[in-house]
Amino acid sequence: MKKNIIAMNASIMIGLGSILAAPSVYAESISDLEKQKESIQEKRSGVESNISETEKKIDSLQDKQMTAEDQIAAIEAKIAESAQKIDAKNAEITQTKKEIEALKEEIKVLKERIAKRNEVLKERALSFQETGGDVNYLEVLFGSSSFGDLVDRVGAVATIAEADRDILKQHELDKKDLEEKQKAVETKLASLEVAKAELLEIQKQQKQQKQEKDALVKKLKQQTEKHEHEKMGLEEEKANLAAQEKAIKSAISLEHQRLAELEAARKKAAAEAKKRAEQEAAQAAAQAASQASESKKQSTSSGYSAKSNSAASSSPASSNVSQAPAVSSGTFTRPSAGYVSSTMGERWNKQHAGIDIAASGTVPIVAAADGVVSRSYFSSSYGNVIFVTHSIGGQQWTTVYAHLSSRQASEGAVVAKGQQIGIMGNTGHSYGQHLHFELHKGPWNYSKSNAVNPLNYIPN
């Protein structure tokens, strides 16, 4: 029983026929598997390098983002400072306007004083017009009744003349003071308005700078998220390559084990044949020539029958899965029953790297070809998903079975073509029950550059 299982596993891993093939053929298959393992190791190294480069890009973007955020903080501080200065200017402007209002009251008083002086001056001017502009001081003096009266009259004349000069002088001073106050306040208000306008312009520029920095930070965040998504995809690709390398190593180990079992069986068969030949030779010497000839024919027929029976017993038994499509004779068989609801190609502005097969009820999912399960896990996008690595004619293939409701094959398991590995479902990023099936000529990668159209390889 153990020999049959090992033989079936080896047949599954390398995709070859009978276990009784020549050892040189299997040695060549092991060489192919070793080459595939080396190719996967090289790709893993490349993916690790890409992950490292992506991490550097993410670090650089995060540094730029931090720098931009620091600059935004500095700009916001300047905007706040400008706002404080603008508030201060507004307060000064308000105070200056109050001063202007107070000055208006002073101006009103000054205007009233000036108006009164103007009335006095008008009366004097009228008096001058009536007297011809001269005062007869001699009449005033000689009209005095006494010396004391004369002194009083002379003082009065001097006082009137002095008063006229004071009125004119004060009138000029008040007018000048009024003009200077008006000019000073107007200049101060204009200066404050200019300063406020300059501060508003500075604040406007600062807000524009902040908008630009905000846009830069947003762009940097988007780029960072993009690279982080790429990194996640590359890490998933790395994990898949590691699983595929493990599967190839398992295939090589199984093949070496199969060859060892085959060599042991060959030596045992040779020893038994030699012993049987010696026994037949001894019997032939004792019997007649006709009996010896007849005995030799029977021995040859018996040996051929034994070999045929041995080959038949060692061939792997096919898995009969209910509700599953019949196993086809081609390289790949159909992975499930149902209809193709979506083909490979552009879909929703993205590349749909496989086909969707939809059906209702409990629908078994089967392996499309002999192989080893390289990954069996739950993915946020694929849901319950199984990756199977195949080696067919020296070419590595990878099949992907996604959105399963349940998985019935674990990592490292050897599966046969048509063997049930899960149940169709609606897990992960999925809309309605279906199987998302991908076929890759080579290992699976994040960009899915090795994906081929499954409809070109499986029965419709």
Coordinates of all heavy atoms in Angstrom, one line a residue, residues 216-257:
L216 N 0.1 68.5 -1.1 CA 1.3 67.7 -1.1 C 1.2 66.5 -0.2 O 1.5 65.4 -0.5 CB 2.5 68.5 -0.8 CG 3.8 67.8 -0.8 CD1 4.1 67.1 -2.1 CD2 5.0 68.7 -0.4
V217 N 0.7 66.8 1.1 CA 0.6 65.7 2.1 C -0.4 64.7 1.6 O -0.2 63.5 1.7 CB 0.2 66.3 3.4 CG1 -0.2 65.2 4.4 CG2 1.3 67.1 4.0
K218 N -1.5 65.2 1.0 CA -2.5 64.2 0.5 C -2.0 63.4 -0.6 O -2.2 62.1 -0.6 CB -3.7 65.0 0.0 CG -4.9 64.2 -0.5 CD -6.0 65.0 -1.0 CE -7.2 64.1 -1.5 NZ -8.3 65.0 -2.0
K219 N -1.2 64.0 -1.5 CA -0.6 63.2 -2.6 C 0.4 62.2 -2.0 O 0.5 61.1 -2.5 CB 0.1 64.2 -3.5 CG 0.7 63.5 -4.7 CD 1.4 64.5 -5.7 CE 2.1 63.9 -6.8 NZ 2.7 64.9 -7.7
L220 N 1.2 62.6 -1.0 CA 2.2 61.8 -0.4 C 1.5 60.6 0.3 O 2.0 59.4 0.2 CB 3.1 62.5 0.5 CG 4.1 63.6 -0.1 CD1 4.7 64.4 1.0 CD2 5.1 62.8 -0.9
K221 N 0.4 60.9 0.9 CA -0.3 59.8 1.6 C -0.9 58.8 0.6 O -0.8 57.6 0.8 CB -1.5 60.4 2.4 CG -1.0 61.0 3.7 CD -2.2 61.6 4.5 CE -1.8 62.2 5.8 NZ -3.0 62.7 6.6
Q222 N -1.4 59.3 -0.5 CA -1.9 58.4 -1.6 C -0.8 57.5 -2.1 O -1.0 56.3 -2.4 CB -2.6 59.3 -2.7 CG -3.9 59.9 -2.3 CD -4.4 60.8 -3.3 OE1 -3.7 61.3 -4.3 NE2 -5.7 61.2 -3.2
Q223 N 0.4 58.2 -2.4 CA 1.5 57.4 -2.9 C 2.0 56.4 -1.9 O 2.3 55.2 -2.3 CB 2.7 58.4 -3.3 CG 2.4 59.2 -4.5 CD 3.5 60.2 -4.8 OE1 4.3 60.5 -3.9 NE2 3.5 60.8 -6.0
T224 N 2.0 56.8 -0.6 CA 2.4 55.9 0.4 C 1.4 54.7 0.5 O 1.9 53.5 0.6 CB 2.4 56.6 1.8 OG1 3.3 57.7 1.7 CG2 2.9 55.6 2.9
E225 N 0.1 55.0 0.5 CA -0.9 53.9 0.5 C -0.7 52.9 -0.7 O -0.8 51.7 -0.6 CB -2.3 54.5 0.5 CG -2.6 55.1 1.8 CD -4.0 55.8 1.7 OE1 -4.6 55.8 0.7 OE2 -4.4 56.4 2.8
K226 N -0.4 53.5 -1.9 CA -0.2 52.7 -3.1 C 1.0 51.8 -2.9 O 0.9 50.6 -3.2 CB 0.1 53.7 -4.3 CG 0.4 52.9 -5.6 CD 0.7 53.9 -6.7 CE 1.1 53.1 -8.0 NZ 1.6 54.1 -9.0
H227 N 2.1 52.3 -2.4 CA 3.3 51.5 -2.2 C 3.1 50.5 -1.1 O 3.6 49.4 -1.2 CB 4.5 52.4 -1.9 CG 5.1 53.2 -3.1 ND1 5.4 52.5 -4.3 CD2 5.2 54.5 -3.3 CE1 5.9 53.4 -5.1 NE2 5.7 54.6 -4.6
E228 N 2.4 50.9 -0.1 CA 2.1 49.9 1.0 C 1.2 48.8 0.5 O 1.4 47.6 0.8 CB 1.4 50.6 2.2 CG 2.3 51.4 3.0 CD 1.6 52.2 4.1 OE1 0.3 52.3 4.0 OE2 2.2 52.7 5.0
H229 N 0.3 49.1 -0.5 CA -0.5 48.1 -1.1 C 0.4 47.2 -2.0 O 0.2 45.9 -2.0 CB -1.6 48.7 -1.9 CG -2.6 47.7 -2.6 ND1 -3.5 47.0 -1.8 CD2 -2.8 47.4 -3.8 CE1 -4.2 46.2 -2.6 NE2 -3.8 46.4 -3.8
E230 N 1.3 47.8 -2.7 CA 2.2 47.0 -3.5 C 3.1 46.1 -2.6 O 3.3 45.0 -3.0 CB 3.1 48.0 -4.3 CG 2.4 48.7 -5.5 CD 3.3 49.7 -6.2 OE1 4.5 49.8 -5.8 OE2 2.9 50.3 -7.1
K231 N 3.5 46.7 -1.5 CA 4.3 45.9 -0.6 C 3.6 44.7 -0.1 O 4.1 43.5 0.0 CB 4.8 46.7 0.6 CG 5.7 46.0 1.6 CD 5.9 46.9 2.8 CE 6.7 46.1 3.9 NZ 6.9 46.9 5.1
M232 N 2.3 44.9 0.3 CA 1.4 43.8 0.7 C 1.3 42.7 -0.4 O 1.4 41.5 -0.1 CB 0.1 44.3 1.1 CG 0.0 45.1 2.4 SD -1.6 45.8 2.8 CE -2.6 44.3 2.9
G233 N 1.1 43.2 -1.6 CA 1.1 42.2 -2.7 C 2.4 41.5 -2.9 O 2.4 40.3 -3.2
L234 N 3.5 42.2 -2.8 CA 4.8 41.6 -3.0 C 5.1 40.6 -1.9 O 5.6 39.5 -2.1 CB 5.9 42.6 -3.0 CG 5.9 43.5 -4.3 CD1 6.9 44.7 -4.1 CD2 6.4 42.7 -5.5
E235 N 4.7 40.9 -0.6 CA 4.8 40.0 0.5 C 4.0 38.7 0.3 O 4.4 37.6 0.6 CB 4.5 40.7 1.8 CG 5.5 41.7 2.2 CD 5.1 42.5 3.5 OE1 3.9 42.5 3.8 OE2 6.0 43.1 4.1
E236 N 2.8 38.9 -0.3 CA 1.9 37.8 -0.6 C 2.6 36.9 -1.7 O 2.6 35.7 -1.6 CB 0.5 38.2 -1.0 CG -0.4 37.0 -1.2 CD -1.8 37.5 -1.4 OE1 -2.1 38.7 -1.5 OE2 -2.7 36.6 -1.5
E237 N 3.2 37.6 -2.7 CA 3.9 36.9 -3.7 C 5.1 36.1 -3.2 O 5.3 35.0 -3.5 CB 4.4 37.9 -4.8 CG 5.1 37.2 -6.0 CD 5.5 38.2 -7.1 OE1 5.0 39.4 -7.0 OE2 6.2 37.8 -8.0
K238 N 5.8 36.8 -2.3 CA 6.9 36.1 -1.6 C 6.5 34.9 -0.9 O 7.1 33.8 -0.9 CB 7.6 37.1 -0.6 CG 8.8 36.5 0.1 CD 9.3 37.5 1.1 CE 10.4 36.9 2.0 NZ 10.9 37.9 3.0
A239 N 5.4 35.0 -0.1 CA 4.8 33.8 0.6 C 4.4 32.7 -0.3 O 4.7 31.5 -0.1 CB 3.6 34.3 1.5
N240 N 3.8 33.1 -1.5 CA 3.4 32.1 -2.5 C 4.6 31.4 -3.1 O 4.7 30.2 -3.3 CB 2.6 32.7 -3.6 CG 1.1 32.8 -3.2 OD1 0.6 32.0 -2.5 ND2 0.5 33.9 -3.5
L241 N 5.7 32.2 -3.4 CA 6.9 31.6 -3.9 C 7.6 30.7 -2.9 O 8.1 29.6 -3.3 CB 7.9 32.7 -4.3 CG 7.5 33.5 -5.6 CD1 8.4 34.7 -5.8 CD2 7.6 32.6 -6.8
A242 N 7.6 31.1 -1.6 CA 8.1 30.2 -0.6 C 7.3 28.9 -0.5 O 7.9 27.8 -0.4 CB 8.1 30.9 0.7
A243 N 6.0 29.0 -0.6 CA 5.2 27.8 -0.6 C 5.4 26.9 -1.8 O 5.5 25.7 -1.7 CB 3.7 28.2 -0.5
Q244 N 5.6 27.5 -3.0 CA 5.9 26.8 -4.2 C 7.2 26.1 -4.1 O 7.4 25.0 -4.6 CB 5.8 27.7 -5.4 CG 4.3 28.1 -5.7 CD 4.2 29.1 -6.9 OE1 5.2 29.4 -7.6 NE2 3.1 29.6 -7.1
E245 N 8.2 26.8 -3.6 CA 9.6 26.2 -3.4 C 9.5 25.0 -2.5 O 10.1 24.0 -2.8 CB 10.5 27.3 -2.8 CG 11.9 26.8 -2.7 CD 12.9 27.8 -2.1 OE1 12.5 28.9 -1.9 OE2 14.0 27.4 -1.8
K246 N 8.7 25.2 -1.4 CA 8.5 24.0 -0.5 C 7.8 22.9 -1.2 O 8.2 21.7 -1.0 CB 7.6 24.5 0.7 CG 7.4 23.5 1.7 CD 6.6 24.0 2.9 CE 6.4 23.0 4.0 NZ 5.5 23.5 5.1
A247 N 6.9 23.2 -2.1 CA 6.2 22.1 -2.9 C 7.1 21.4 -3.8 O 7.1 20.2 -4.0 CB 5.0 22.7 -3.6
I248 N 8.0 22.2 -4.5 CA 9.0 21.6 -5.4 C 9.9 20.7 -4.6 O 10.3 19.6 -5.1 CB 9.7 22.7 -6.2 CG1 8.8 23.5 -7.1 CG2 10.9 22.1 -7.0 CD1 8.2 22.7 -8.2
K249 N 10.4 21.2 -3.5 CA 11.3 20.4 -2.6 C 10.6 19.1 -2.2 O 11.3 18.0 -2.2 CB 11.7 21.2 -1.4 CG 12.7 22.3 -1.7 CD 13.1 23.0 -0.4 CE 14.1 24.1 -0.6 NZ 14.4 24.9 0.6
S250 N 9.3 19.2 -1.9 CA 8.6 18.0 -1.6 C 8.5 17.0 -2.8 O 8.6 15.8 -2.6 CB 7.2 18.4 -1.1 OG 6.4 17.2 -0.9
A251 N 8.3 17.6 -4.0 CA 8.3 16.8 -5.2 C 9.6 16.1 -5.4 O 9.6 14.9 -5.7 CB 7.9 17.7 -6.4
I252 N 10.7 16.8 -5.2 CA 12.0 16.2 -5.4 C 12.2 15.1 -4.4 O 12.7 14.0 -4.7 CB 13.1 17.3 -5.2 CG1 13.0 18.3 -6.4 CG2 14.5 16.7 -5.2 CD1 13.9 19.5 -6.3
S253 N 11.9 15.4 -3.1 CA 12.0 14.3 -2.1 C 11.2 13.1 -2.4 O 11.7 12.0 -2.3 CB 11.6 14.9 -0.7 OG 11.6 14.0 0.3
L254 N 9.9 13.3 -2.8 CA 9.1 12.2 -3.2 C 9.6 11.4 -4.3 O 9.6 10.2 -4.4 CB 7.7 12.7 -3.5 CG 6.8 13.1 -2.3 CD1 5.5 13.8 -2.8 CD2 6.5 11.9 -1.4
E255 N 10.2 12.1 -5.3 CA 10.7 11.5 -6.5 C 12.0 10.6 -6.1 O 12.2 9.5 -6.6 CB 11.1 12.5 -7.6 CG 11.6 11.9 -8.8 CD 10.7 10.9 -9.5 OE1 9.6 10.7 -9.1 OE2 11.2 10.2 -10.4
H256 N 12.9 11.2 -5.2 CA 14.0 10.4 -4.8 C 13.6 9.2 -4.0 O 14.1 8.1 -4.2 CB 14.9 11.3 -3.9 CG 15.8 12.2 -4.6 ND1 16.8 11.8 -5.5 CD2 15.9 13.6 -4.6 CE1 17.4 12.8 -6.0 NE2 16.9 14.0 -5.5
Q257 N 12.5 9.4 -3.2 CA 12.0 8.2 -2.4 C 11.4 7.2 -3.4 O 11.6 6.0 -3.2 CB 10.9 8.7 -1.4 CG 10.5 7.7 -0.5 CD 9.5 8.2 0.5 OE1 9.2 9.4 0.6 NE2 8.9 7.3 1.3

